[in-house]
Amino acid sequence: MRFSKIISVILHPIFMPIIAFSLSIKSLPSIGLSVITNLGFIYLVLLLSTIIMPLMSIFFLIQKNMVASLEMNNYKERFVPLIITAIWMCYGYYKVYEIIVFSTVLKIEFLCAIIIIFIAAFISKFWKISLHMLGAGGVVGVLFGINILYGGLLQAIIISLLLAGILGTARINEKAHNHKQVYAGFLIGFLVESAGILFF
């Protein structure tokens, strides 16, 4: 397997919400007692609503010949899987809302991840934006927002930017996207998450 393919699998967008949440938990000076005492439940909900159930839904769509493969190379196939993923994430947000309601950053971060998915679904009706870079941009946006508010994350931001650059290069090398699709994906993910955290 090519290195660019390995990077694309390891840094798949489906893993980005739970990665961003984990980094936030470690970075925030205070996350609240309810979050601490229910952390296992939150991770379970995230695992189910952002990874397992979306994947199972996509496999179902593949069986029904509505989607050709997990990679969804044809951007016109992406709308339904992305909407289903967003719905599962909305359900996940509903399940953990009472736990994270007093942790503004975690709450906004989760909501912004859902918004990014809906944006991706809309754009995918007419253009093949990079879902990988939407996810990577979202993670960098989360770290950037938290760093502006609380500081201490410069090293993490630099590392995440480097990884995003490697991922973007991998997507181009795989001929999955062109430069515009990669840059647009990163910028939208970054702007939605960072603006959400900083202004809401």
Side-chain angles (χ1 to χ4, degrees):
M1 186 180 290
R2 296 184 300 274
F3 177 74
S4 56
K5 184 67 174 179
I6 294 172
I7 292 296
S8 296
V9 172
I10 293 174
L11 298 179
H12 194 279
I14 206 165
F15 302 129
M16 294 301 155
I18 201 165
I19 289 173
F21 182 84
S22 299
L23 292 172
S24 299
I25 290 292
K26 294 177 181 179
S27 304
L28 291 169
S30 175
I31 57 174
L33 182 61
S34 62
V35 175
I36 295 172
T37 55
N38 293 282
L39 204 54
F41 175 74
I42 295 173
Y43 274 113
L44 177 61
V45 170
L46 283 173
L47 188 66
L48 287 170
S49 65
T50 67
I51 299 176
I52 294 176
M53 298 312 297
L55 276 177
M56 289 180 65
S57 300
I58 294 171
F59 281 125
F60 175 78
L61 294 174
I62 291 173
Q63 287 184 337
K64 295 297 181 180
N65 294 318
M66 295 178 67
V67 175
S69 68
L70 280 173
E71 295 182 349
M72 294 183 287
N73 289 321
N74 184 349
Y75 67 89
K76 294 180 180 179
E77 295 178 342
R78 293 180 169 186
F79 181 77
V80 173
L82 287 171
I83 291 296
I84 292 174
T85 298
I87 291 171
W88 280 120
M89 290 179 68
C90 286
Y91 179 73
Y93 180 78
Y94 165 76
K95 295 297 290 185
V96 300
Y97 176 78
E98 291 186 0
I99 300 172
I100 65 174
V101 64
F102 297 113
S103 180
T104 305
V105 170
L106 296 179
K107 182 176 66 174
I108 295 299
E109 174 187 328
F110 203 145
L111 280 173
C112 286
I114 295 171
I115 290 170
I116 289 171
I117 300 297
F118 276 116
I119 291 173
F122 172 73
I123 292 175
S124 293
K125 293 286 285 184
F126 56 88
W127 196 53
K128 189 183 180 183
I129 194 167
S130 173
L131 302 180
H132 280 77
M133 296 310 292
L134 278 166
V139 172
V140 177
V142 167
L143 293 175
F144 178 81
I146 294 175
N147 186 66
I148 294 295
L149 293 175
Y150 304 107
L153 293 181
L154 182 58
Q155 184 176 0
I157 291 172
I158 292 172
I159 293 172
S160 65
L161 280 171
L162 288 173
L163 288 173
I166 292 171
L167 177 60
T169 303
R171 299 308 292 157
I172 292 170
N173 287 343
E174 285 290 302
K175 301 188 186 304
H177 295 285
N178 59 38
H179 288 80
K180 288 182 180 179
Q181 293 162 347
V182 165
Y183 296 149
F186 179 85
L187 284 174
I188 291 173
F190 174 82
L191 290 173
V192 171
E193 283 286 4
S194 59
I197 290 172
L198 291 174
F199 298 112
F200 298 100

Coordinates of all heavy atoms in Angstrom, one line a residue, residues 166-200:
I166 N 0.6 17.1 5.2 CA 0.9 15.8 4.7 C -0.3 15.1 4.1 O -0.3 14.5 3.1 CB 1.5 14.9 5.8 CG1 2.9 15.5 6.2 CG2 1.7 13.5 5.4 CD1 3.5 14.8 7.5
L167 N -1.4 15.3 4.8 CA -2.7 14.7 4.4 C -3.1 15.3 3.1 O -3.5 14.6 2.1 CB -3.8 14.8 5.5 CG -5.2 14.3 5.1 CD1 -5.1 12.8 4.8 CD2 -6.1 14.6 6.2
G168 N -3.1 16.6 3.0 CA -3.5 17.3 1.7 C -2.6 16.8 0.6 O -3.1 16.5 -0.5
T169 N -1.3 16.7 0.8 CA -0.4 16.2 -0.3 C -0.7 14.8 -0.7 O -0.7 14.4 -1.8 CB 1.1 16.3 0.2 OG1 1.4 17.6 0.6 CG2 2.0 15.8 -0.9
A170 N -1.1 14.0 0.4 CA -1.5 12.6 0.1 C -2.7 12.5 -0.8 O -2.8 11.7 -1.7 CB -1.7 11.8 1.4
R171 N -3.7 13.3 -0.5 CA -4.9 13.3 -1.2 C -4.7 13.7 -2.7 O -5.3 13.2 -3.6 CB -6.0 14.2 -0.6 CG -6.4 13.9 0.8 CD -6.8 12.4 1.0 NE -8.1 12.2 0.2 CZ -8.4 11.0 -0.2 NH1 -7.6 9.9 0.0 NH2 -9.6 10.8 -0.8
I172 N -3.8 14.7 -2.9 CA -3.5 15.1 -4.2 C -2.7 14.0 -5.0 O -2.9 13.7 -6.1 CB -2.7 16.4 -4.2 CG1 -3.6 17.6 -3.7 CG2 -2.1 16.7 -5.6 CD1 -2.8 18.8 -3.4
N173 N -1.7 13.4 -4.3 CA -0.9 12.3 -4.8 C -1.8 11.1 -5.2 O -1.5 10.4 -6.2 CB 0.2 11.8 -3.9 CG 1.3 12.8 -3.8 OD1 1.5 13.7 -4.6 ND2 2.1 12.7 -2.7
E174 N -2.9 10.9 -4.4 CA -3.8 9.8 -4.7 C -4.7 10.1 -5.9 O -5.5 9.3 -6.3 CB -4.6 9.5 -3.5 CG -3.9 8.7 -2.4 CD -3.6 7.3 -2.8 OE1 -4.6 6.5 -3.1 OE2 -2.4 6.9 -2.9
K175 N -4.6 11.4 -6.4 CA -5.5 11.9 -7.4 C -6.9 11.9 -7.0 O -7.9 11.8 -7.8 CB -5.3 11.1 -8.7 CG -3.8 11.2 -9.2 CD -3.7 10.6 -10.6 CE -2.3 10.5 -11.1 NZ -1.6 11.8 -11.0
A176 N -7.2 12.0 -5.7 CA -8.5 12.0 -5.2 C -9.1 13.4 -5.3 O -10.3 13.6 -5.4 CB -8.5 11.5 -3.7
H177 N -8.2 14.4 -5.2 CA -8.6 15.8 -5.3 C -7.6 16.7 -6.0 O -6.4 16.3 -6.0 CB -8.8 16.4 -3.8 CG -9.9 15.7 -3.1 ND1 -11.3 16.0 -3.4 CD2 -9.9 14.8 -2.1 CE1 -12.0 15.2 -2.6 NE2 -11.2 14.5 -1.8
N178 N -8.0 17.9 -6.4 CA -7.0 18.9 -6.9 C -6.7 19.9 -5.8 O -7.3 19.8 -4.7 CB -7.6 19.6 -8.1 CG -8.9 20.3 -7.9 OD1 -9.1 20.9 -6.8 ND2 -9.8 20.3 -8.9
H179 N -5.9 20.8 -6.0 CA -5.4 21.7 -5.0 C -6.6 22.6 -4.4 O -6.7 22.8 -3.2 CB -4.3 22.7 -5.5 CG -3.0 22.0 -5.7 ND1 -2.7 21.2 -6.8 CD2 -1.9 21.9 -4.9 CE1 -1.5 20.7 -6.7 NE2 -1.0 21.1 -5.6
K180 N -7.5 23.0 -5.3 CA -8.6 23.9 -4.9 C -9.5 23.1 -3.9 O -10.0 23.7 -2.9 CB -9.4 24.4 -6.1 CG -8.7 25.4 -6.9 CD -9.6 25.9 -8.0 CE -8.9 26.9 -8.9 NZ -9.7 27.4 -10.0
Q181 N -9.7 21.9 -4.2 CA -10.6 21.0 -3.3 C -10.0 20.8 -2.0 O -10.7 20.8 -1.0 CB -10.9 19.7 -4.0 CG -11.8 19.9 -5.3 CD -11.7 18.7 -6.2 OE1 -10.9 17.8 -6.0 NE2 -12.6 18.7 -7.2
V182 N -8.7 20.6 -2.0 CA -7.9 20.4 -0.7 C -7.9 21.7 0.1 O -8.3 21.7 1.3 CB -6.5 19.9 -1.0 CG1 -5.6 20.1 0.2 CG2 -6.5 18.5 -1.5
Y183 N -7.6 22.8 -0.5 CA -7.5 24.1 0.2 C -8.9 24.5 0.7 O -9.0 25.0 1.9 CB -7.0 25.2 -0.7 CG -5.5 25.0 -1.1 CD1 -5.1 25.4 -2.4 CD2 -4.6 24.3 -0.3 CE1 -3.8 25.2 -2.8 CE2 -3.3 24.1 -0.8 CZ -2.9 24.5 -2.0 OH -1.6 24.3 -2.4
A184 N -9.9 24.4 -0.1 CA -11.3 24.7 0.3 C -11.7 23.9 1.5 O -12.3 24.4 2.4 CB -12.2 24.6 -0.9
G185 N -11.5 22.6 1.4 CA -11.8 21.7 2.5 C -11.2 22.2 3.9 O -11.9 22.3 4.9
F186 N -9.9 22.4 3.8 CA -9.2 22.8 5.0 C -9.7 24.1 5.6 O -10.0 24.3 6.8 CB -7.7 22.9 4.8 CG -6.9 23.3 6.0 CD1 -6.5 22.4 6.9 CD2 -6.6 24.7 6.2 CE1 -5.8 22.8 8.1 CE2 -5.9 25.1 7.4 CZ -5.5 24.1 8.3
L187 N -9.9 25.1 4.7 CA -10.3 26.5 5.1 C -11.7 26.4 5.7 O -12.0 27.1 6.8 CB -10.2 27.4 4.0 CG -8.8 27.9 3.6 CD1 -8.9 28.8 2.3 CD2 -8.2 28.7 4.7
I188 N -12.6 25.7 5.1 CA -14.0 25.7 5.6 C -14.0 25.0 7.0 O -14.6 25.5 8.0 CB -14.9 25.0 4.7 CG1 -15.1 25.8 3.4 CG2 -16.3 24.7 5.3 CD1 -15.9 25.1 2.3
G189 N -13.3 23.8 7.1 CA -13.3 23.2 8.4 C -12.7 24.0 9.5 O -13.2 24.1 10.6
F190 N -11.6 24.7 9.1 CA -10.9 25.5 10.1 C -11.7 26.7 10.5 O -11.9 27.0 11.7 CB -9.6 26.1 9.5 CG -8.8 27.1 10.3 CD1 -8.0 26.6 11.4 CD2 -9.0 28.4 10.1 CE1 -7.4 27.6 12.2 CE2 -8.3 29.4 10.9 CZ -7.5 28.9 11.9
L191 N -12.3 27.4 9.6 CA -13.1 28.6 9.9 C -14.4 28.3 10.7 O -14.7 29.0 11.6 CB -13.5 29.3 8.6 CG -12.3 30.0 7.8 CD1 -12.8 30.5 6.5 CD2 -11.7 31.1 8.7
V192 N -15.0 27.2 10.4 CA -16.3 26.9 11.1 C -15.9 26.6 12.5 O -16.6 27.1 13.5 CB -17.0 25.7 10.4 CG1 -18.1 25.2 11.3 CG2 -17.5 26.1 9.1
E193 N -14.9 25.7 12.8 CA -14.6 25.4 14.2 C -14.0 26.5 15.0 O -14.4 26.8 16.1 CB -13.7 24.2 14.2 CG -14.3 22.8 13.9 CD -15.2 22.3 15.0 OE1 -15.3 23.0 16.1 OE2 -15.7 21.2 14.9
S194 N -13.1 27.2 14.4 CA -12.4 28.3 15.1 C -13.4 29.5 15.4 O -13.4 30.0 16.5 CB -11.2 28.8 14.4 OG -11.5 29.3 13.1
A195 N -14.2 29.8 14.4 CA -15.2 30.9 14.6 C -16.2 30.5 15.6 O -16.6 31.3 16.4 CB -15.8 31.2 13.2
G196 N -16.6 29.3 15.6 CA -17.6 28.8 16.5 C -17.1 28.9 17.9 O -17.8 29.4 18.8
I197 N -15.9 28.4 18.2 CA -15.3 28.4 19.5 C -15.1 29.9 20.0 O -15.3 30.2 21.1 CB -14.0 27.6 19.6 CG1 -14.4 26.1 19.4 CG2 -13.3 27.8 20.8 CD1 -13.2 25.2 19.3
L198 N -14.6 30.7 19.1 CA -14.2 32.1 19.5 C -15.4 33.0 19.7 O -15.3 33.9 20.5 CB -13.2 32.6 18.5 CG -11.8 32.0 18.5 CD1 -11.0 32.5 17.3 CD2 -11.1 32.2 19.8
F199 N -16.4 32.8 18.9 CA -17.5 33.8 18.9 C -18.8 33.4 19.5 O -19.7 34.2 19.7 CB -17.7 34.3 17.5 CG -16.5 35.0 16.8 CD1 -15.9 34.4 15.8 CD2 -16.1 36.2 17.3 CE1 -14.8 35.0 15.2 CE2 -15.0 36.8 16.7 CZ -14.3 36.2 15.7
F200 N -18.9 32.1 19.8 CA -20.1 31.6 20.3 C -20.0 30.8 21.7 O -20.9 30.6 22.4 CB -20.9 30.7 19.3 CG -21.2 31.4 18.1 CD1 -20.4 31.2 16.9 CD2 -22.4 32.2 18.0 CE1 -20.8 31.9 15.7 CE2 -22.7 32.8 16.8 CZ -21.9 32.7 15.7

